[in-house]
Amino acid sequence: MASHGFKVCVGNRTLSKVEDTVKRAKAENNLPVYGALSVEEFVAKISKPRKIVILVQAGKPVDETIEKMSQYLESGDTIIDGGNEWYPNSIRRAEGLEPLGIHFVGMGISGGEEGARHGPSLMPGGPKKAYDMIAPIMKKCAAQVNDGACFTYLGPIGAGNYVKMVHNGIEYGDMQLISEVYDVLKRIVGMSNQEMSEVFSKWNEGELSSYLIEITSKILAKKDDITSKGEVVDYILDKTGMKGTGRWTVQEAAEQSVAAPTIAAALDSRYLSARKEERVKASKILKGPTEIPSVSKEQIVEDLQAALYAAKVISYAQGLGIIKAASEKNGWNVNLGECARIWKGGCIIRAKLLDKIQAAFETDKNLANLVIDPSFSSELNVRQMPWRRIVTLCVASGIACPSLCASLNYFDQYRRESLPANLIQAQRDFFGGHTYERLDRDGQFHCLWDDAHKDIGDLNARTTGEL
């Protein structure tokens, strides 16, 4: 903010951090950053109507910060929470501050350390009046792409947190897909880290160009700075941490009745990775295949590129489907084309692919699913055979590819006019009298499957409670 000419006041309960920030600002071209030693002083130093961004751990710390600050605020002031917060908490806080006339904005921020200093993707949700007040500042501070700042109004309170949550869910899927491709290149193709780095670097010049592909290439090439032997990636414990947004995304997918198997598989993989001790013991007991298929390594690398691209499209389709369903349910009116646009810069999932996703939703704002956009459907149809070859190779080789496989299964289920769900519904009717619909006529039906079944009366009552 200060580097864009805005005067900024900073506060923190650890006063040394305030001093360090002010000193750094002075060292960086004497930027206009001023410190405050108390909450009261902090609020007093800010011009009215006040615009305050809080960046603290989600949950109780946010409530405590708002409670301390709100006693000094006035009607017309705005609090912006920039943390990864569970969206119902933001709605609750906004409702609590409304009687005081204080605006509350839940704003997702993505970009990591680089984005924080040089421009992140900002995803706000809250009162339009509050958005209009903070927009002149945030538009300059956000990452900039060819069609504007990576900042837009996403809707009422909750919408911004929700979009950021799903962004992180897509991120989970993307990272898992890349790790599965890495596993194939390493275990089946037999590439060294340097060779894999070169493959990812080459891919980053084409349709797979993205921040995550770019950093994967850099990670694989990075020499270990402790032992000076080999690359650091080989010394990292295979145990993935997480903060919870991926879990929230999967929970919300279930709540909205939206299938998100790619993201769910990525989450499950993190759970399994955490059970390192169990896996070490299991590796001595459970055996995989001993005969590995012989396939051209050049063909595998070529197929992996196509499979990764196709699966990434599916991951985005699932995430955007969750946002679409929640937006319709809550009346948020989230613009999916704008979601794609503000993800093109600054954020972790920024990718060349997002230009086409943006175009798809700008062409058809009511697009039911990204995969049926003419551009993407043709690409998925063309890439399905290499995608299938990779999944088949992984299964035959005993290499887990949960998200690549889940993406393909999603594609195969979504593209079919008829699924075996008719048998499942028949089973539900058999043991629970849940009824079923028919292909040849309207209405609800129940079958007397055997002599134990009796007339169950009003069939419409049997479907009460269905999701």
Side-chain angles (χ1 to χ4, degrees):
M1 291 181 183
S3 62
H4 286 285
F6 298 104
K7 293 181 180 179
V8 179
C9 182
V10 295
N12 193 289
R13 63 182 179 181
T14 305
L15 298 183
S16 61
K17 292 184 178 181
V18 176
E19 294 173 2
D20 290 344
T21 303
V22 173
K23 286 180 181 178
R24 180 181 172 185
K26 295 298 181 185
E28 293 187 22
N29 299 318
N30 199 30
L31 294 175
V33 175
Y34 308 90
L37 301 182
S38 68
V39 174
E40 184 176 8
E41 180 189 0
F42 173 77
V43 173
K45 282 188 172 182
I46 301 173
S47 61
K48 303 177 184 179
R50 302 176 182 90
K51 294 166 279 290
I52 298 173
V53 178
I54 57 176
L55 295 166
V56 299
Q57 184 179 346
K60 189 176 180 181
V62 178
D63 289 318
E64 292 173 345
T65 302
I66 292 173
E67 183 178 1
K68 291 177 183 177
M69 200 173 289
S70 60
Q71 61 184 307
Y72 303 110
L73 297 178
E74 301 173 34
S75 178
D77 292 343
T78 298
I79 296 176
I80 304 108
D81 176 19
N84 282 330
E85 187 57 89
W86 180 228
Y87 77 99
N89 286 340
S90 288
I91 295 173
R92 170 177 58 79
R93 289 168 187 143
E95 291 173 347
L97 290 168
E98 188 175 10
L100 302 176
I102 300 171
H103 304 303
F104 187 76
V105 176
M107 184 172 72
I109 302 175
S110 177
E113 294 180 6
E114 179 186 345
R117 190 63 186 85
H118 301 292
S121 175
L122 302 174
M123 299 160 247
K128 186 61 166 58
K129 184 177 181 180
Y131 169 83
D132 291 337
M133 284 194 291
I134 67 174
I137 300 173
M138 298 303 175
K139 283 184 178 179
K140 286 190 175 182
C141 297
Q144 306 293 317
V145 291
N146 61 339
D147 50 2
C150 294
F151 173 79
T152 193
Y153 183 65
L154 290 171
I157 189 66
N161 294 120
Y162 201 95
V163 169
K164 175 55 165 61
M165 174 194 73
V166 175
H167 162 286
N168 285 21
I170 295 171
E171 180 183 306
Y172 271 52
D174 206 346
M175 294 170 73
Q176 178 63 29
L177 290 168
I178 292 171
S179 76
E180 291 171 18
V181 169
Y182 154 75
D183 205 22
V184 173
L185 290 171
K186 182 177 182 179
R187 307 289 179 187
I188 299 179
V189 181
M191 282 187 170
S192 67
N193 290 326
Q194 293 298 324
E195 289 172 328
M196 287 187 284
S197 174
E198 291 172 8
V199 168
F200 280 101
S201 180
K202 182 180 179 181
W203 285 351
N204 196 49
E205 296 172 359
E207 64 184 12
L208 286 173
S209 176
S210 68
Y211 174 72
L212 286 171
I213 294 291
E214 176 188 350
I215 68 168
T216 299
S217 175
K218 293 180 179 179
I219 288 168
L220 290 168
K222 180 65 176 177
K223 297 296 182 182
D224 184 48
D225 52 3
I226 296 178
T227 66
S228 299
K229 297 178 181 179
E231 290 76 31
V232 65
V233 69
D234 290 333
Y235 292 92
I236 297 175
L237 181 66
D238 55 322
K239 193 173 179 179
T240 308
M242 55 184 166
K243 293 292 181 68
T245 46
R247 181 189 297 130
W248 291 345
T249 303
V250 173
Q251 289 173 343
E252 270 300 301
E255 185 67 29
Q256 303 301 333
S257 298
V258 174
T262 306
I263 300 170
L267 181 64
D268 288 341
S269 293
R270 294 199 183 194
Y271 292 149
L272 281 168
S273 79
R275 297 182 177 274
K276 175 67 175 179
E277 297 76 13
E278 290 182 33
R279 290 188 289 111
V280 170
K281 292 178 182 178
S283 69
K284 298 175 175 59
I285 302 169
L286 304 175
K287 305 299 180 183
T290 55
E291 296 181 9
I292 306 300
S294 178
V295 183
S296 162
K297 293 183 178 181
E298 292 76 12
Q299 183 66 57
I300 295 174
V301 174
E302 185 179 327
D303 285 353
L304 280 170
Q305 180 179 357
L308 180 55
Y309 180 85
K312 283 165 69 76
V313 171
I314 297 295
S315 183
Y316 277 100
Q318 292 169 13
L320 291 166
I322 298 170
I323 295 173
K324 183 176 186 291
S327 176
E328 291 173 352
K329 179 179 179 180
N330 294 294
W332 289 337
N333 197 30
V334 176
N335 185 323
L336 298 181
E338 277 291 276
C339 288
R341 188 189 67 77
I342 64 172
W343 289 344
K344 292 195 299 183
C347 75
I348 305 303
I349 64 170
R350 61 184 184 265
K352 183 178 180 180
L353 177 65
L354 284 161
D355 281 315
K356 295 175 67 174
I357 294 176
Q358 178 187 353
F361 285 104
E362 286 179 348
T363 301
D364 183 359
K365 289 181 170 31
N366 297 313
L367 186 65
N369 191 308
L370 183 65
V371 302
I372 60 172
D373 169 74
S375 176
F376 283 113
S377 61
S378 62
E379 289 183 331
L380 292 172
N381 289 337
V382 168
R383 287 165 176 76
Q384 65 169 303
M385 288 315 297
W387 193 4
R388 295 182 192 284
R389 286 196 294 267
I390 289 299
V391 171
T392 302
L393 176 63
C394 288
V395 172
S397 304
I399 299 292
C401 61
S403 284
L404 281 169
C405 188
S407 299
L408 181 58
N409 284 335
Y410 179 93
F411 172 78
D412 277 338
Q413 285 189 293
Y414 196 77
R415 69 176 178 80
R416 287 183 57 184
E417 181 180 350
S418 298
L419 293 170
N422 55 326
L423 177 59
I424 297 173
Q425 193 60 22
Q427 293 169 332
R428 294 182 74 236
D429 188 54
F430 188 105
F431 64 68
H434 293 290
T435 75
Y436 55 87
E437 295 175 83
R438 294 179 62 95
L439 294 171
D440 58 351
R441 60 198 68 192
D442 295 333
Q444 296 293 325
F445 295 86
H446 171 64
C447 181
L448 303 181
W449 296 97
D450 61 17
D451 293 341
H453 288 87
K454 307 297 181 184
D455 184 8
I456 58 176
D458 181 9
L459 298 185
N460 290 326
R462 306 296 294 185
T463 58
T464 301
E466 292 275 350
L467 297 177

